[in-house]
Amino acid sequence: MISAQEALERLREGNRRFVSGVRSLDTLVGQTQRNELVAAGQRPFAVILGCSDSRVPVEIVFDQGFGDLFVIRVAGNIVAASQIGSVEFAAEQFGTRLVVVLGHTRCGAVQTTLEELQRPTENQSRNLRSIVDRIRPAVERLLATQLRGDLEALARQAVRANVRASANSLRHGSEVLEQLIQNQGLIVVGAEYSLETGAVDFFDGVPAIGQ
Ligand SMILES: [Zn+2]
């Protein structure tokens, strides 16, 4: 089993390769081993809850291949019961110990929520509303601060607030995950992918080195 700390280091290294434009030979070789994974089964070393945004393809930005990452993608990287269940499944079935909530700059779902809070629309679809309603609590309080006057800063802070909220929902969303965190070394960290630079900043819940 790969520890959360080691998994985090792998992701950091992979993202550094991606940013510098150097693809790993291991990843390329890994893609030719697609058939082996069928019989051997998967052992993904990290679970990533990312946004559906087409500009944030998770395996590519972390330079990983087949069988490496257990990826859940949903607009706004929100946490509902099915996301919690997916994380539980990976952690219990495969022993995966690192969970990353991966938000990104200029997230449309977060932007839509901010606009909705400032100018509510009458006829928003119930389904879209279910996403907005999960982002709303995290970003609503930002509108009560001075950020209200600076829309760019507001958007930036809102993305991070939404990542923190999702990470917290996973940490406290189920007894199974709480037990794994307390007793089995599972950690949930929050990160932001920059559309501008390609770099991922792990900014929430990262344990100090040596722990
Ligand atoms: Zn997004």
Side-chain angles (χ1 to χ4, degrees), residues 134-142 157-158 161-166:
R134 287 194 186 269
I135 299 174
R136 181 194 302 262
V139 305
E140 204 161 31
R141 64 184 69 112
L142 296 177
Q157 294 294 321
N162 182 48
V163 166
R164 282 193 196 93
S166 286

Side-chain angles (χ1 to χ4, degrees), residues 1-4 42-45 88-98 180 184 186:
M1 187 193 297
I2 293 174
S3 72
Q42 56 172 323
R43 301 293 289 173
F45 71 84
E88 286 179 358
F89 177 77
E92 292 203 309
Q93 292 287 313
F94 315 127
T96 313
R97 288 295 173 260
L98 177 68
L180 286 165
Q184 303 289 331
L186 182 88

Side-chain angles (χ1 to χ4, degrees), residues 50-53 55-56 74-77 102-110:
C51 180
S52 301
D53 193 302
R55 298 167 293 180
V56 195
V74 56
N77 42 271
L102 182 67
H104 65 96
T105 57
R106 300 169 194 260
C107 180
V110 172

Side-chain angles (χ1 to χ4, degrees), residues 81-93:
S82 55
Q83 280 77 44
I84 295 173
S86 299
V87 174
E88 286 179 358
F89 177 77
E92 292 203 309
Q93 292 287 313

Side-chain angles (χ1 to χ4, degrees), residues 35-185:
N35 288 333
E36 288 175 25
L37 287 164
V38 178
Q42 56 172 323
R43 301 293 289 173
F45 71 84
V47 178
I48 316 282
L49 169 61
C51 180
S52 301
D53 193 302
S54 62
R55 298 167 293 180
V56 195
V58 175
E59 280 88 351
I60 295 176
V61 307
F62 287 119
D63 189 29
Q64 300 299 321
F66 282 86
D68 290 330
L69 303 177
F70 190 91
V71 180
I72 307 154
R73 287 177 73 178
V74 56
N77 42 271
I78 57 163
V79 172
S82 55
Q83 280 77 44
I84 295 173
S86 299
V87 174
E88 286 179 358
F89 177 77
E92 292 203 309
Q93 292 287 313
F94 315 127
T96 313
R97 288 295 173 260
L98 177 68
V99 180
V100 179
V101 175
L102 182 67
H104 65 96
T105 57
R106 300 169 194 260
C107 180
V110 172
Q111 198 55 43
T112 299
T113 305
L114 283 172
E115 285 164 11
E116 182 66 24
L117 282 165
Q118 294 171 94
R119 284 181 303 279
T121 49
E122 292 278 310
N123 299 316
Q124 192 177 53
S125 105
R126 190 161 53 90
N127 306 307
L128 183 56
R129 186 169 296 278
S130 74
I131 293 174
V132 166
D133 281 348
R134 287 194 186 269
I135 299 174
R136 181 194 302 262
V139 305
E140 204 161 31
R141 64 184 69 112
L142 296 177
L143 280 170
T145 69
Q146 293 195 339
L147 285 169
R148 197 189 174 92
D150 182 346
L151 291 182
E152 272 220 18
L154 176 66
R156 277 200 305 277
Q157 294 294 321
V159 164
R160 291 193 171 225
N162 182 48
V163 166
R164 282 193 196 93
S166 286
N168 269 326
S169 296
L170 288 178
R171 290 179 192 121
H172 305 293
S174 82
E175 274 183 35
V176 172
L177 295 184
E178 284 197 346
Q179 284 298 320
L180 286 165
I181 289 169
Q182 275 182 6
N183 306 319
Q184 303 289 331

